[in-house]
Amino acid sequence: MTAEGAFDDEEFDLGSLEEELRQAAAILDPVPAELRRSAVEAYALHDLDARIAELTFDSLTDAIPVRGAGDVARMLTFHTGDLTVDVEVTEDGLMGQLLPPQSASIEVLHGPRAGAALTADALGRFACDTLPGGPFALRLRTGAEVVVTEWLRA
């Protein structure tokens, strides 16, 4: 210890201290298995070159309710740069359109691997006849660009 009360780095082996703290935390407060699995899955899905399309409209929170309307579709709008992705989610699946209209390959993400592989036509339209259970996102590949929507529950 120096005169000012600070510790000298030469006195401590920081690597062994870190290892002892890790062991203590693993025993006293272990990471739940479900959280560890979710973290591994989230990391497996990362795409460093992708732009994130932010959710700008969700009919569950932004739309005005209509009296007497029964089972209405959920409308979502994602936006990034000059690309807009409109998605309609129903119990039968989802369908959407890219604006400006363009062709693209689309993956429905809902776990550590991509789910349904879709193709948007020249007008930017795409559809999937199955709805993913739990949280999902869309990964779009338009030419050299990769865009991933925010994750949300159907």
Side-chain angles (χ1 to χ4, degrees), residues 60-74:
L60 284 181
T61 59
D62 300 328
I64 299 172
V66 177
R67 186 174 68 186
D71 206 14
V72 293
R74 182 176 182 189

PDB file of all heavy atoms in Angstrom, residues 60-74:
ATOM      1  N   LEU A  60     -51.710  -2.263 -31.362  1.00  0.00           N
ATOM      2  CA  LEU A  60     -52.106  -2.594 -29.993  1.00  0.00           C
ATOM      3  C   LEU A  60     -51.993  -1.391 -29.068  1.00  0.00           C
ATOM      4  O   LEU A  60     -52.758  -1.258 -28.120  1.00  0.00           O
ATOM      5  CB  LEU A  60     -51.250  -3.735 -29.424  1.00  0.00           C
ATOM      6  CG  LEU A  60     -51.556  -5.132 -29.909  1.00  0.00           C
ATOM      7  CD1 LEU A  60     -50.635  -6.132 -29.216  1.00  0.00           C
ATOM      8  CD2 LEU A  60     -52.997  -5.507 -29.662  1.00  0.00           C
ATOM      9  N   THR A  61     -51.032  -0.530 -29.333  1.00  0.00           N
ATOM     10  CA  THR A  61     -50.811   0.612 -28.451  1.00  0.00           C
ATOM     11  C   THR A  61     -51.107   1.963 -29.098  1.00  0.00           C
ATOM     12  O   THR A  61     -51.429   2.913 -28.393  1.00  0.00           O
ATOM     13  CB  THR A  61     -49.354   0.618 -27.949  1.00  0.00           C
ATOM     14  OG1 THR A  61     -48.472   0.674 -29.077  1.00  0.00           O
ATOM     15  CG2 THR A  61     -49.053  -0.607 -27.121  1.00  0.00           C
ATOM     16  N   ASP A  62     -51.009   2.063 -30.413  1.00  0.00           N
ATOM     17  CA  ASP A  62     -51.131   3.362 -31.078  1.00  0.00           C
ATOM     18  C   ASP A  62     -52.472   3.613 -31.750  1.00  0.00           C
ATOM     19  O   ASP A  62     -52.803   4.755 -32.038  1.00  0.00           O
ATOM     20  CB  ASP A  62     -50.022   3.506 -32.133  1.00  0.00           C
ATOM     21  CG  ASP A  62     -48.641   3.415 -31.515  1.00  0.00           C
ATOM     22  OD1 ASP A  62     -48.474   3.834 -30.363  1.00  0.00           O
ATOM     23  OD2 ASP A  62     -47.723   2.910 -32.189  1.00  0.00           O
ATOM     24  N   ALA A  63     -53.231   2.554 -32.034  1.00  0.00           N
ATOM     25  CA  ALA A  63     -54.480   2.726 -32.783  1.00  0.00           C
ATOM     26  C   ALA A  63     -55.636   3.070 -31.848  1.00  0.00           C
ATOM     27  O   ALA A  63     -55.630   2.734 -30.663  1.00  0.00           O
ATOM     28  CB  ALA A  63     -54.809   1.461 -33.564  1.00  0.00           C
ATOM     29  N   ILE A  64     -56.639   3.723 -32.391  1.00  0.00           N
ATOM     30  CA  ILE A  64     -57.858   4.035 -31.660  1.00  0.00           C
ATOM     31  C   ILE A  64     -58.776   2.826 -31.760  1.00  0.00           C
ATOM     32  O   ILE A  64     -59.063   2.346 -32.854  1.00  0.00           O
ATOM     33  CB  ILE A  64     -58.540   5.283 -32.257  1.00  0.00           C
ATOM     34  CG1 ILE A  64     -57.596   6.480 -32.135  1.00  0.00           C
ATOM     35  CG2 ILE A  64     -59.870   5.542 -31.574  1.00  0.00           C
ATOM     36  CD1 ILE A  64     -58.075   7.710 -32.858  1.00  0.00           C
ATOM     37  N   PRO A  65     -59.231   2.291 -30.607  1.00  0.00           N
ATOM     38  CA  PRO A  65     -60.089   1.100 -30.665  1.00  0.00           C
ATOM     39  C   PRO A  65     -61.411   1.388 -31.367  1.00  0.00           C
ATOM     40  O   PRO A  65     -61.968   2.479 -31.267  1.00  0.00           O
ATOM     41  CB  PRO A  65     -60.317   0.747 -29.199  1.00  0.00           C
ATOM     42  CG  PRO A  65     -59.699   1.803 -28.386  1.00  0.00           C
ATOM     43  CD  PRO A  65     -58.986   2.756 -29.274  1.00  0.00           C
ATOM     44  N   VAL A  66     -61.901   0.384 -32.085  1.00  0.00           N
ATOM     45  CA  VAL A  66     -63.170   0.508 -32.802  1.00  0.00           C
ATOM     46  C   VAL A  66     -64.204  -0.322 -32.054  1.00  0.00           C
ATOM     47  O   VAL A  66     -64.005  -1.512 -31.809  1.00  0.00           O
ATOM     48  CB  VAL A  66     -63.025   0.004 -34.260  1.00  0.00           C
ATOM     49  CG1 VAL A  66     -64.353   0.053 -34.981  1.00  0.00           C
ATOM     50  CG2 VAL A  66     -61.977   0.818 -34.988  1.00  0.00           C
ATOM     51  N   ARG A  67     -65.313   0.310 -31.697  1.00  0.00           N
ATOM     52  CA  ARG A  67     -66.356  -0.387 -30.952  1.00  0.00           C
ATOM     53  C   ARG A  67     -66.981  -1.460 -31.834  1.00  0.00           C
ATOM     54  O   ARG A  67     -67.275  -1.241 -33.003  1.00  0.00           O
ATOM     55  CB  ARG A  67     -67.420   0.616 -30.503  1.00  0.00           C
ATOM     56  CG  ARG A  67     -68.449  -0.022 -29.602  1.00  0.00           C
ATOM     57  CD  ARG A  67     -69.379   0.980 -29.057  1.00  0.00           C
ATOM     58  NE  ARG A  67     -70.199   1.510 -30.156  1.00  0.00           N
ATOM     59  CZ  ARG A  67     -71.054   2.496 -30.028  1.00  0.00           C
ATOM     60  NH1 ARG A  67     -71.187   3.098 -28.889  1.00  0.00           N
ATOM     61  NH2 ARG A  67     -71.755   2.899 -31.051  1.00  0.00           N
ATOM     62  N   GLY A  68     -67.157  -2.630 -31.262  1.00  0.00           N
ATOM     63  CA  GLY A  68     -67.783  -3.722 -31.977  1.00  0.00           C
ATOM     64  C   GLY A  68     -66.845  -4.529 -32.846  1.00  0.00           C
ATOM     65  O   GLY A  68     -67.226  -5.545 -33.395  1.00  0.00           O
ATOM     66  N   ALA A  69     -65.606  -4.085 -32.975  1.00  0.00           N
ATOM     67  CA  ALA A  69     -64.641  -4.828 -33.790  1.00  0.00           C
ATOM     68  C   ALA A  69     -64.186  -6.043 -33.005  1.00  0.00           C
ATOM     69  O   ALA A  69     -63.785  -5.942 -31.853  1.00  0.00           O
ATOM     70  CB  ALA A  69     -63.455  -3.955 -34.142  1.00  0.00           C
ATOM     71  N   GLY A  70     -64.271  -7.193 -33.632  1.00  0.00           N
ATOM     72  CA  GLY A  70     -63.898  -8.441 -32.973  1.00  0.00           C
ATOM     73  C   GLY A  70     -62.423  -8.702 -33.049  1.00  0.00           C
ATOM     74  O   GLY A  70     -61.605  -7.952 -32.527  1.00  0.00           O
ATOM     75  N   ASP A  71     -62.074  -9.743 -33.718  1.00  0.00           N
ATOM     76  CA  ASP A  71     -60.694 -10.187 -33.834  1.00  0.00           C
ATOM     77  C   ASP A  71     -60.008  -9.421 -34.964  1.00  0.00           C
ATOM     78  O   ASP A  71     -60.011  -9.851 -36.114  1.00  0.00           O
ATOM     79  CB  ASP A  71     -60.688 -11.691 -34.106  1.00  0.00           C
ATOM     80  CG  ASP A  71     -59.412 -12.349 -33.636  1.00  0.00           C
ATOM     81  OD1 ASP A  71     -58.663 -11.720 -32.877  1.00  0.00           O
ATOM     82  OD2 ASP A  71     -59.181 -13.496 -34.041  1.00  0.00           O
ATOM     83  N   VAL A  72     -59.419  -8.266 -34.649  1.00  0.00           N
ATOM     84  CA  VAL A  72     -58.783  -7.441 -35.678  1.00  0.00           C
ATOM     85  C   VAL A  72     -57.304  -7.793 -35.769  1.00  0.00           C
ATOM     86  O   VAL A  72     -56.679  -8.214 -34.798  1.00  0.00           O
ATOM     87  CB  VAL A  72     -58.946  -5.933 -35.382  1.00  0.00           C
ATOM     88  CG1 VAL A  72     -60.395  -5.542 -35.488  1.00  0.00           C
ATOM     89  CG2 VAL A  72     -58.390  -5.573 -34.030  1.00  0.00           C
ATOM     90  N   ALA A  73     -56.754  -7.609 -36.949  1.00  0.00           N
ATOM     91  CA  ALA A  73     -55.333  -7.895 -37.180  1.00  0.00           C
ATOM     92  C   ALA A  73     -54.480  -6.848 -36.476  1.00  0.00           C
ATOM     93  O   ALA A  73     -54.882  -5.698 -36.294  1.00  0.00           O
ATOM     94  CB  ALA A  73     -55.046  -7.879 -38.673  1.00  0.00           C
ATOM     95  N   ARG A  74     -53.307  -7.267 -36.076  1.00  0.00           N
ATOM     96  CA  ARG A  74     -52.347  -6.339 -35.476  1.00  0.00           C
ATOM     97  C   ARG A  74     -51.496  -5.763 -36.593  1.00  0.00           C
ATOM     98  O   ARG A  74     -50.918  -6.500 -37.394  1.00  0.00           O
ATOM     99  CB  ARG A  74     -51.482  -7.077 -34.472  1.00  0.00           C
ATOM    100  CG  ARG A  74     -50.484  -6.189 -33.764  1.00  0.00           C
ATOM    101  CD  ARG A  74     -49.742  -6.986 -32.720  1.00  0.00           C
ATOM    102  NE  ARG A  74     -48.811  -6.160 -31.997  1.00  0.00           N
ATOM    103  CZ  ARG A  74     -47.918  -6.641 -31.151  1.00  0.00           C
ATOM    104  NH1 ARG A  74     -47.861  -7.951 -30.923  1.00  0.00           N
ATOM    105  NH2 ARG A  74     -47.092  -5.834 -30.519  1.00  0.00           N
TER     106      ARG A  74
END
